[in-house]
Amino acid sequence: MTQRVGPLRDTEAWSRHGFTGRPEELVAAGSLPRAWAANWRARPDAPTLLSPGGSWFTGSDLLNLTARIAGTFAHSGIRKGDRVLMSSPPSVELVLAHIAALRLGAIVVPVNTAYTASEVSAVAEQARPGFAVLDDQSRLPLTNSATPGALVDEANTAPRLGDHSLDQADTDEPAMLMFTSGTTGKPKGVVLSHGNILASAEALRIAWRWTSGDRLVLALPLFHMHGLGVGIHGTLLAGASAVIVPRFDVDAILDVVRSERATLLFGVPTMWIRFAESARVGELSTLRLCVSGSAPLAPDVFRALGTNGHQTIVERYGMTETIMNVSNPYDGDRRAGSVGLALPGVEVRLAGDPDASVSEPGEILLRGPNIMRTYWENPKATEAAFDDDGWFLTGDIGQFDPDGYLRIVGRSKDLIITGGFNVYPREVEEALRLHPSVSECAVAGMPDPQWGETVVAYVVAAQGSGATAELEQSILDHAAAHLARFKQPRSIRFLDALPRNALGKVVKSELAGAAEI
């Protein structure tokens, strides 16, 4: 059982972010859709969302179009609590569909656009969506489905759903269902309430001094909490504006930063490395705030961006089950290698650290209005995710420095983070074992300066199959047919046998050494 200490350290951290209230104040608006609609009514002509080369969608546009799209969902039989699966590249049209579903009280199920049809079907089997918004409708054969563009085109002529049918979801009702693979390889559905997503967005609005005058350039996927739960939700809550760039390209992003006079830019470490390597890195200096997340940012990249880009990057720490937890402060010291201080409303402890002093590394434990309450239809996983005092067990290992800044020092699980995306080895291993020439395999991450980690597969070839370049290519081709690109191994290393302990478990820390023998 975790010992509870007084809230002093947390409230001090919150005050460093500019928050001196109580956690319940973060959800005072009731829900994000209510807060968004209030912003649009107050500033109907304010530019809000833009795709490069297009025209600005104003607050009035969003208010009316999302009500019409919600009407399309309702006409298709979607009611409060029904699931709407969404998987499409970033676009204003996709954001409009997301907003419309939340305004109706439906539960949005974001799905990685790199997923194959079988991977999308595995999510749909659990979520049982009544409607799907897809870039390619063949990825999930469903009677009720549409592309984002078709939805918006139809909305221009569809009846508008009345205000009495919109923005009625309560704080405790589910808003999003995001699937994250567990160590068993079977996806777990994270149920996030309207209160969860509102509390996290409001904490970031306060901590990052987000205002209606800000303009974000967003080139992150919209199936991931970073792009959707931080970038889109935060922008709309602050009454700010965002330019949604469909794919990452250094020059294209910097062009938009200049032409649209942007103030904010969010990215994952892989993106920041590319900026640091660009001859145009100095153009980052016009931005008010640059944020890195989803994986650790290497200190040398942090320093290079500071020296050449005149940007002291803000690193933060979050996860699907908890949205955002910790951030380096906007005002004050932003430390390389640290994720900073607890965000408003979030309590942070380390297991075995009851006095909250400078600590030995321990598992990071969290409480707050941002924390999910349950996994989808999985009471056993839910029970295992919390300790007896209600602290969420992250599985991440952290350590506090003397000033209370948190540093992530490792993971208790085998999670691989590559380019900001989570890869769970068990899922990759199960796919590779389907190859007829793979007898055994184990998957692990290898440090990489660009991607954070890359996926490496250690394979014991079946009898009669030689460890040849042809077999390696065959296994890589097999992986490409069964797994999203970011989950696929970058290399195959053949072993005579996997290193195991006395209990027969694979010792993953010894894999790299075994491959070198």
Side-chain angles (χ1 to χ4, degrees):
M1 184 178 292
T2 304
Q3 294 188 39
R4 172 73 190 275
V5 298
L8 182 62
R9 187 179 69 202
D10 295 314
T11 55
E12 285 183 339
W14 303 347
S15 67
R16 290 287 302 277
H17 291 301
F19 180 72
T20 56
R22 300 177 60 82
E24 55 266 29
E25 295 175 26
L26 299 170
V27 295
S31 74
L32 281 173
R34 285 181 212 167
W36 296 340
N39 284 338
W40 301 330
R41 291 187 179 100
R43 301 173 65 234
D45 296 327
T48 305
L49 295 175
L50 174 71
S51 293
S55 300
W56 280 101
F57 285 74
T58 65
S60 178
D61 292 331
L62 268 65
L63 195 65
N64 289 305
L65 281 171
T66 59
R68 293 176 185 275
I69 296 171
T72 298
F73 289 147
H75 183 72
S76 298
I78 299 299
R79 301 291 181 265
K80 180 188 283 191
D82 290 341
R83 275 75 63 200
V84 177
L85 186 147
M86 299 191 185
S87 186
S88 185
S91 67
V92 171
E93 291 78 9
L94 179 64
V95 175
L96 294 173
H98 175 75
I99 296 168
L102 292 181
R103 296 193 71 191
L104 184 62
I107 303 172
V108 176
V109 186
V111 175
N112 195 318
T113 53
Y115 275 12
T116 62
S118 62
E119 289 170 308
V120 176
S121 295
V123 171
E125 184 177 352
Q126 288 198 65
R128 303 183 299 280
F131 199 101
V133 181
L134 302 163
D135 54 340
D136 179 355
Q137 291 169 269
S138 69
R139 293 174 64 216
L140 181 65
L142 202 64
T143 302
N144 290 333
S145 67
T147 65
L151 267 181
V152 173
D153 288 343
E154 183 176 346
N156 285 315
T157 58
R160 186 184 190 279
L161 204 62
D163 288 346
H164 65 281
S165 301
L166 297 170
D167 313 325
Q168 300 301 308
D170 293 329
T171 304
D172 291 335
E173 291 186 280
M176 297 178 68
L177 176 57
M178 302 188 74
F179 281 84
T180 178
S181 297
T183 54
T184 63
K186 183 178 180 181
K188 287 188 296 186
V190 177
V191 181
L192 296 171
S193 71
H194 279 272
N196 293 150
I197 62 175
L198 171 60
S200 196
E202 176 66 1
L204 294 177
R205 185 193 67 80
I206 295 167
W208 294 347
R209 314 297 194 262
W210 220 328
T211 74
S212 60
D214 277 312
R215 180 157 294 167
L216 170 68
V217 176
L218 187 61
L220 291 163
L222 298 183
F223 53 78
H224 193 280
M225 190 53 73
H226 194 167
L228 191 59
V230 177
I232 294 299
H233 290 179
T235 291
L236 298 178
L237 181 63
S241 57
V243 184
I244 300 173
V245 181
R247 64 188 60 83
F248 175 72
D249 177 84
V250 168
D251 291 328
I253 289 172
L254 291 175
D255 287 346
V256 172
V257 166
R258 182 177 58 230
S259 65
E260 299 300 333
R261 299 181 180 179
T263 61
L264 307 175
L265 182 61
F266 301 161
V268 300
T270 306
M271 296 164 66
W272 293 116
I273 290 170
R274 302 283 172 80
F275 281 116
E277 295 172 343
S278 171
R280 298 178 64 183
V281 63
E283 295 179 39
L284 294 176
S285 63
T286 62
L287 293 155
R288 179 179 72 80
L289 176 66
C290 293
V291 178
S292 181
S294 300
L297 182 67
D300 62 327
V301 178
F302 179 94
R303 289 189 289 269
L305 291 165
T307 300
N308 301 320
H310 309 289
Q311 280 291 341
T312 306
I313 303 295
V314 166
E315 282 197 83
R316 64 15 166 223
Y317 164 56
M319 57 194 305
T320 304
E321 289 92 337
T322 64
I323 316 179
M324 292 299 118
N325 312 312
V326 177
S327 173
N328 272 268
Y330 182 78
D331 294 315
D333 194 13
R334 305 175 189 176
R335 301 186 178 179
S338 169
V339 290
L341 307 166
L343 281 164
V346 183
E347 297 177 79
V348 182
R349 299 288 182 271
L350 299 184
D353 179 34
D355 63 359
S357 62
V358 179
S359 61
E360 293 297 320
E363 183 175 8
I364 299 169
L365 312 181
L366 302 169
R367 292 200 303 199
N370 56 309
I371 311 295
M372 70 140 205
R373 293 186 180 178
T374 184
Y375 286 111
W376 178 254
E377 299 178 342
N378 196 337
K380 288 185 178 180
T382 303
E383 183 180 1
F386 294 88
D387 75 1
D388 294 340
D389 291 330
W391 292 87
F392 180 77
L393 311 175
T394 66
D396 293 318
I397 307 300
Q399 186 173 22
F400 288 111
D401 73 11
D403 298 318
Y405 279 66
L406 180 65
R407 184 168 63 94
I408 310 297
V409 298
R411 293 185 293 275
S412 61
K413 302 169 185 176
D414 290 331
L415 178 69
I416 300 167
I417 300 180
T418 179
F421 296 129
N422 293 352
V423 177
Y424 289 84
R426 179 71 177 270
E427 183 180 9
V428 182
E429 291 162 359
E430 290 179 348
L432 296 185
R433 287 187 190 120
L434 297 174
H435 191 286
S437 295
V438 173
S439 175
E440 293 184 294
C441 70
V443 168
M446 174 171 287
D448 182 89
Q450 279 206 56
W451 299 99
E453 294 177 288
T454 55
V455 180
V456 178
Y458 299 85
V459 170
V460 177
Q463 272 193 334
S465 301
T468 63
E470 289 76 14
L471 177 55
E472 178 178 7
Q473 188 59 54
S474 176
I475 295 171
L476 293 173
D477 291 343
H478 172 87
H482 289 80
L483 297 164
R485 176 65 184 136
F486 69 91
K487 298 179 186 178
Q488 297 167 26
R490 295 297 181 93
S491 64
I492 306 294
R493 302 190 176 190
F494 291 100
L495 302 176
D496 293 330
L498 298 179
R500 298 179 183 273
N501 63 16
L503 298 176
K505 295 185 67 174
V506 175
V507 183
K508 293 202 171 183
S509 61
E510 297 178 6
L511 285 168
E516 292 171 359
I517 296 174

